[in-house]
Amino acid sequence: MKLPDINILDEADKVLRTKSFDVIFPLSEDDKKLINDSLDYLEMSQIDEYREKYDLRAGMGLSFIQLGIPKRIFVISEEIEENKFNRHVVINPKIKSKSEELIFVGEGEGCLSVNREVDGIVPRHARVTIEAYDEDGVFFEIRVREDMAVAFQHELDHLEGILFMDRIDKKNPFKNRNLMREI
Ligand code: ZN
């Protein structure tokens, strides 16, 4: 497998703060290629052999705005067994419902645009139901929980120009820890 040639913006880039726009179907061939390249990249970043070979950081999600394109498209690569992945292409998503229960990732969230460790709690809903369209413009609904719920909410934030550390309390990064479940 060859590493796709994609350029992921760094947090210093103000383009990441852009609110993305709804996409009109059908997608262009360029957009379809970028979706495919992004998923290939995410999969390779989660496979030890490629991660070492290309010196990658592991990531399971990527939004088009991280590639400098303000379209409401993100992809998530979900490892279902060792080196086997489910591909999720999520376009023009809307949150249909969300659990009251909140969770946070104990070791901290990561982002391919943030090349440093950031400590603190990023509150996320434990379960969310999303409505969206796939790359062929077909409507679907998906209910996700735990780490997948975190990944979806993290990517939904990118579409609004929000980065995960924006959600960490500046004065007390571990505020309200007792009100949430650690995953
Ligand atoms: Zn991110």
Side-chain angles (χ1 to χ4, degrees):
M1 232 174 151
K2 196 167 160 283
L3 189 68
D5 183 23
I6 58 169
N7 181 29
I8 300 172
L9 300 184
D10 179 78
E11 61 174 309
D13 200 313
K14 291 207 165 41
V15 171
L16 285 173
R17 298 312 191 162
T18 314
K19 195 167 159 17
S20 295
F21 295 98
D22 270 342
V23 174
I24 295 165
F25 291 99
L27 295 186
S28 67
E29 289 307 313
D30 284 351
D31 283 345
K32 284 185 180 174
K33 182 176 186 310
L34 214 43
I35 285 170
N36 215 45
D37 283 353
S38 299
L39 283 163
D40 283 350
Y41 184 96
L42 292 175
E43 285 180 14
M44 289 175 79
S45 81
Q46 294 180 72
I47 298 172
D48 294 346
E49 181 196 339
Y50 295 120
R51 190 169 57 253
E52 283 157 24
K53 183 173 171 189
Y54 294 110
D55 191 25
L56 305 174
R57 290 167 59 231
M60 66 187 290
L62 195 68
S63 290
F64 262 38
I65 194 63
Q66 291 176 275
L67 306 172
I69 301 168
K71 293 182 178 174
R72 297 180 80 81
I73 302 177
F74 66 77
V75 296
I76 287 178
S77 167
E78 175 190 18
E79 190 169 31
I80 43 171
E81 55 183 271
E82 199 177 336
N83 296 345
K84 277 206 148 187
F85 302 88
N86 258 347
R87 293 184 155 212
H88 299 275
V89 178
V90 184
I91 303 176
N92 299 347
K94 292 204 165 43
I95 297 181
K96 191 181 177 196
S97 66
K98 51 200 179 189
S99 67
E100 264 181 50
E101 188 192 10
L102 297 175
I103 55 176
F104 67 96
V105 181
E107 58 191 23
E109 273 184 42
C111 178
L112 291 175
S113 293
V114 181
N115 289 298
R116 61 192 169 98
E117 296 273 318
V118 182
D119 281 337
I121 288 179
V122 183
R124 301 293 190 188
H125 300 281
R127 296 166 296 283
V128 287
T129 302
I130 310 280
E131 294 178 335
Y133 297 84
D134 70 11
E135 66 269 44
D136 297 315
V138 177
F139 178 84
F140 68 93
E141 187 179 301
I142 184 171
R143 183 161 173 79
V144 286
R145 57 188 71 242
E146 305 297 305
D147 61 328
M148 280 289 284
V150 172
F152 269 73
Q153 288 167 86
H154 179 114
E155 299 309 325
L156 282 161
D157 274 353
H158 273 304
L159 305 186
E160 305 303 323
I162 298 168
L163 297 177
F164 74 91
M165 56 279 197
D166 302 348
R167 296 196 178 278
I168 299 173
D169 191 275
K170 301 280 174 295
K171 290 203 182 83
N172 179 6
F174 292 93
K175 192 178 166 183
N176 294 334
R177 176 176 217 147
N178 54 328
L179 301 180
M180 290 168 243
R181 177 164 57 83
E182 180 175 346
I183 65 162

